[in-house]
Coordinates of all heavy atoms in Angstrom, one line a residue:
E1 N 105.9 112.8 106.2 CA 105.6 111.5 105.7 C 104.9 110.6 106.7 O 104.0 109.8 106.4 CB 106.9 110.9 105.1 CG 107.4 111.6 103.9 CD 106.4 111.8 102.8 OE1 105.7 110.8 102.5 OE2 106.3 112.9 102.2
K2 N 105.4 110.7 108.0 CA 104.8 109.9 109.1 C 103.3 110.3 109.3 O 102.4 109.5 109.5 CB 105.6 110.1 110.3 CG 106.9 109.4 110.3 CD 107.6 109.6 111.7 CE 109.0 108.9 111.7 NZ 109.7 109.1 113.0
F3 N 103.1 111.6 109.2 CA 101.7 112.1 109.4 C 100.8 111.6 108.2 O 99.6 111.3 108.4 CB 101.7 113.6 109.5 CG 102.0 114.1 110.9 CD1 103.1 113.8 111.5 CD2 101.0 114.9 111.5 CE1 103.4 114.2 112.8 CE2 101.3 115.4 112.8 CZ 102.5 115.0 113.4
K4 N 101.3 111.6 107.0 CA 100.6 111.2 105.8 C 100.2 109.7 105.9 O 99.2 109.3 105.3 CB 101.3 111.5 104.6 CG 101.4 113.0 104.3 CD 102.3 113.4 103.1 CE 101.8 112.9 101.8 NZ 102.7 113.4 100.7
E5 N 101.0 109.0 106.6 CA 100.7 107.5 106.8 C 99.5 107.3 107.7 O 98.8 106.3 107.6 CB 102.0 106.8 107.4 CG 103.1 106.7 106.4 CD 104.4 106.1 107.1 OE1 104.3 105.7 108.2 OE2 105.4 106.0 106.4
I6 N 99.3 108.3 108.6 CA 98.3 108.2 109.6 C 97.0 108.8 109.1 O 95.9 108.3 109.3 CB 98.7 108.8 110.9 CG1 99.9 108.1 111.6 CG2 97.5 108.9 111.9 CD1 100.5 108.7 112.8
I7 N 97.1 110.0 108.4 CA 95.9 110.7 108.1 C 95.4 110.3 106.7 O 96.2 110.4 105.7 CB 96.3 112.3 108.0 CG1 96.9 112.7 109.3 CG2 95.0 113.1 107.7 CD1 97.4 114.1 109.3
P8 N 94.2 109.8 106.5 CA 93.6 109.5 105.2 C 93.7 110.6 104.3 O 93.4 111.8 104.6 CB 92.2 109.1 105.6 CG 92.2 108.7 107.0 CD 93.2 109.6 107.6
E9 N 94.0 110.3 103.0 CA 94.1 111.4 102.0 C 92.8 112.2 101.9 O 92.9 113.4 101.6 CB 94.5 110.8 100.7 CG 94.9 111.8 99.6 CD 95.4 111.1 98.4 OE1 95.8 109.9 98.4 OE2 95.4 111.8 97.3
N10 N 91.7 111.5 102.0 CA 90.4 112.2 101.8 C 90.1 113.2 103.0 O 89.1 113.9 102.9 CB 89.3 111.3 101.6 CG 89.0 110.3 102.8 OD1 89.7 110.4 103.8 ND2 88.1 109.4 102.6
L11 N 90.9 113.2 104.0 CA 90.7 114.1 105.1 C 91.5 115.4 104.9 O 91.2 116.4 105.5 CB 91.0 113.5 106.5 CG 89.9 112.7 107.2 CD1 90.4 112.2 108.6 CD2 88.7 113.6 107.4
I12 N 92.6 115.3 104.1 CA 93.5 116.4 104.0 C 93.0 117.4 102.9 O 92.7 117.0 101.8 CB 94.9 115.9 103.5 CG1 95.5 115.0 104.6 CG2 95.8 117.0 103.3 CD1 96.8 114.3 104.3
V13 N 92.9 118.6 103.4 CA 92.4 119.7 102.5 C 93.6 120.4 101.8 O 93.5 120.7 100.6 CB 91.6 120.7 103.3 CG1 91.1 121.9 102.4 CG2 90.3 120.0 103.9
E14 N 94.6 120.6 102.6 CA 95.8 121.4 102.0 C 97.0 121.0 102.9 O 97.0 120.9 104.1 CB 95.6 122.9 102.1 CG 96.7 123.7 101.5 CD 96.5 125.2 101.7 OE1 96.1 125.6 102.8 OE2 96.9 125.9 100.8
I15 N 98.2 120.9 102.2 CA 99.5 120.8 102.8 C 100.3 122.0 102.3 O 100.5 122.1 101.1 CB 100.1 119.5 102.5 CG1 99.4 118.3 103.1 CG2 101.6 119.4 103.0 CD1 99.9 116.9 102.8
R16 N 100.9 122.7 103.2 CA 101.7 123.9 102.9 C 103.0 123.7 103.5 O 103.1 123.7 104.8 CB 101.0 125.2 103.3 CG 101.7 126.4 102.7 CD 100.7 127.6 102.7 NE 101.4 128.8 102.2 CZ 100.8 129.9 101.9 NH1 99.5 130.0 102.2 NH2 101.4 130.9 101.4
Q17 N 104.1 123.6 102.7 CA 105.4 123.4 103.3 C 106.2 124.7 103.2 O 105.8 125.7 102.7 CB 106.1 122.3 102.4 CG 105.4 121.0 102.4 CD 106.1 119.9 101.7 OE1 107.3 119.5 102.1 NE2 105.5 119.3 100.7
N18 N 107.5 124.5 103.8 CA 108.5 125.6 103.7 C 107.9 126.9 104.4 O 108.0 128.0 103.9 CB 108.9 125.9 102.3 CG 109.4 124.8 101.6 OD1 110.3 124.0 102.1 ND2 109.0 124.5 100.3
L19 N 107.4 126.7 105.6 CA 107.0 127.8 106.5 C 108.0 128.0 107.6 O 108.8 127.1 107.9 CB 105.6 127.5 107.1 CG 104.5 127.2 106.1 CD1 103.2 126.9 106.9 CD2 104.3 128.4 105.2
S20 N 107.9 129.1 108.2 CA 108.8 129.5 109.4 C 107.9 130.0 110.5 O 106.9 130.7 110.2 CB 109.9 130.4 109.0 OG 110.8 129.9 108.2
E21 N 108.3 129.8 111.7 CA 107.5 130.3 112.9 C 108.3 131.3 113.6 O 109.5 131.2 113.8 CB 107.2 129.1 113.8 CG 106.5 129.6 115.1 CD 106.5 128.5 116.2 OE1 107.6 128.3 116.8 OE2 105.5 127.8 116.3
L22 N 107.7 132.4 113.9 CA 108.3 133.4 114.8 C 107.4 133.4 116.1 O 106.2 133.8 116.0 CB 108.3 134.8 114.2 CG 109.2 135.0 113.0 CD1 108.5 134.8 111.7 CD2 110.0 136.3 113.1
S23 N 108.0 133.0 117.2 CA 107.2 133.0 118.4 C 107.6 134.2 119.3 O 108.8 134.4 119.6 CB 107.6 131.7 119.2 OG 106.9 131.6 120.4
I24 N 106.6 135.0 119.7 CA 106.9 136.1 120.5 C 106.3 135.9 121.9 O 105.2 135.5 122.1 CB 106.1 137.4 119.9 CG1 106.4 137.6 118.4 CG2 106.5 138.6 120.7 CD1 105.5 138.5 117.7
K25 N 107.2 136.0 122.9 CA 106.8 135.9 124.3 C 106.7 137.3 124.8 O 107.8 137.9 125.1 CB 107.7 135.0 125.1 CG 107.2 134.8 126.5 CD 108.0 133.8 127.3 CE 107.4 133.6 128.7 NZ 108.1 132.6 129.5
F26 N 105.5 137.8 125.0 CA 105.3 139.2 125.4 C 105.8 139.4 126.8 O 105.7 138.5 127.7 CB 103.9 139.6 125.2 CG 103.5 139.7 123.8 CD1 102.5 138.9 123.2 CD2 104.0 140.7 123.0 CE1 102.1 139.0 121.9 CE2 103.7 140.8 121.7 CZ 102.7 140.0 121.1
G27 N 106.2 140.6 127.1 CA 106.6 141.0 128.5 C 105.3 141.2 129.3 O 104.2 141.1 128.9
N28 N 105.6 141.6 130.6 CA 104.6 141.8 131.6 C 103.6 142.9 131.1 O 104.0 143.9 130.5 CB 105.1 142.2 132.9 CG 105.9 141.0 133.5 OD1 105.7 139.9 133.3 ND2 106.9 141.4 134.4
G29 N 102.3 142.7 131.4 CA 101.3 143.7 131.0 C 100.7 143.5 129.7 O 99.8 144.3 129.3
S30 N 101.1 142.5 128.9 CA 100.6 142.3 127.6 C 99.1 142.0 127.5 O 98.4 142.5 126.6 CB 101.3 141.1 126.9 OG 101.1 139.9 127.6
R31 N 98.6 141.4 128.5 CA 97.1 141.1 128.6 C 96.3 142.3 128.8 O 95.1 142.4 128.3 CB 96.8 140.1 129.7 CG 97.4 138.7 129.5 CD 97.1 137.8 130.7 NE 97.8 136.6 130.7 CZ 97.4 135.5 130.0 NH1 96.3 135.5 129.3 NH2 98.1 134.4 130.0
K32 N 96.8 143.3 129.4 CA 96.0 144.5 129.8 C 96.3 145.7 128.9 O 95.7 146.8 129.0 CB 96.3 144.9 131.2 CG 95.9 143.8 132.2 CD 96.2 144.3 133.6 CE 95.8 143.2 134.7 NZ 96.1 143.6 136.0
T33 N 97.3 145.6 128.0 CA 97.7 146.7 127.2 C 97.0 146.7 125.8 O 97.2 145.7 125.1 CB 99.3 146.7 127.0 OG1 99.9 146.7 128.3 CG2 99.7 147.9 126.2
V34 N 96.3 147.8 125.5 CA 95.6 147.9 124.3 C 96.6 148.1 123.1 O 97.5 149.0 123.2 CB 94.6 149.0 124.3 CG1 93.9 149.2 123.0 CG2 93.5 148.7 125.4
G35 N 96.4 147.4 122.0 CA 97.2 147.7 120.8 C 98.5 147.0 120.6 O 99.2 147.3 119.6
V36 N 98.8 146.0 121.5 CA 100.1 145.3 121.3 C 100.1 144.5 120.0 O 101.0 144.6 119.2 CB 100.4 144.4 122.5 CG1 101.7 143.6 122.3 CG2 100.6 145.3 123.8
L37 N 99.1 143.6 119.9 CA 99.0 142.8 118.7 C 98.8 143.7 117.4 O 99.4 143.4 116.4 CB 97.9 141.8 118.8 CG 98.2 140.6 119.6 CD1 97.0 139.6 119.6 CD2 99.4 139.8 119.1
A38 N 98.0 144.7 117.5 CA 97.7 145.5 116.4 C 98.9 146.2 115.9 O 99.1 146.4 114.7 CB 96.6 146.6 116.8
T39 N 99.8 146.7 116.8 CA 101.0 147.3 116.5 C 101.9 146.4 115.6 O 102.5 146.8 114.6 CB 101.8 147.8 117.7 OG1 100.9 148.7 118.4 CG2 103.1 148.5 117.4
I40 N 102.1 145.2 116.1 CA 102.9 144.2 115.4 C 102.4 143.8 114.1 O 103.1 143.9 113.0 CB 103.1 143.0 116.3 CG1 104.0 143.3 117.5 CG2 103.7 141.8 115.5 CD1 104.2 142.2 118.4
L41 N 101.1 143.5 114.0 CA 100.5 143.0 112.8 C 100.4 144.1 111.7 O 100.6 143.9 110.5 CB 99.1 142.5 113.1 CG 99.1 141.2 114.0 CD1 97.6 140.8 114.2 CD2 99.9 140.1 113.4
S42 N 100.2 145.4 112.2 CA 100.1 146.5 111.2 C 101.5 146.7 110.6 O 101.6 147.0 109.4 CB 99.6 147.8 111.9 OG 100.5 148.2 112.9
Q43 N 102.6 146.6 111.4 CA 103.9 146.8 110.8 C 104.3 145.7 109.9 O 104.9 145.9 108.9 CB 104.9 146.8 112.0 CG 104.9 148.1 112.8 CD 105.1 149.4 112.0 OE1 106.0 149.4 111.2 NE2 104.2 150.3 112.1
I44 N 103.9 144.5 110.2 CA 104.1 143.3 109.2 C 103.4 143.6 107.9 O 103.9 143.4 106.8 CB 103.7 142.0 109.9 CG1 104.6 141.7 111.0 CG2 103.7 140.9 108.8 CD1 104.2 140.4 111.8

């Protein structure tokens, strides 16, 4: 509601509620390891 008071209605394209966040903090080597994200996303 606070955000809607600030943002003009004609700027808003979509509001989607009732979401959840899963934050993954990868271990060492994640930047150099091929397939980490692909493995997770394919299983989902």
Side-chain angles (χ1 to χ4, degrees):
E1 294 307 315
K2 290 183 179 180
F3 276 59
K4 288 170 69 175
E5 292 175 4
I6 295 174
I7 305 170
E9 188 174 344
N10 61 2
L11 272 184
I12 298 176
V13 176
E14 180 187 42
I15 294 176
R16 189 159 182 173
Q17 302 186 59
N18 301 316
L19 302 179
S20 292
E21 176 192 78
L22 292 98
S23 178
I24 309 164
K25 185 172 182 181
F26 290 114
N28 293 335
S30 59
R31 296 178 187 274
K32 299 179 180 180
T33 303
V34 175
V36 174
L37 281 181
T39 299
I40 288 175
L41 296 179
S42 64
Q43 289 301 313
I44 291 174

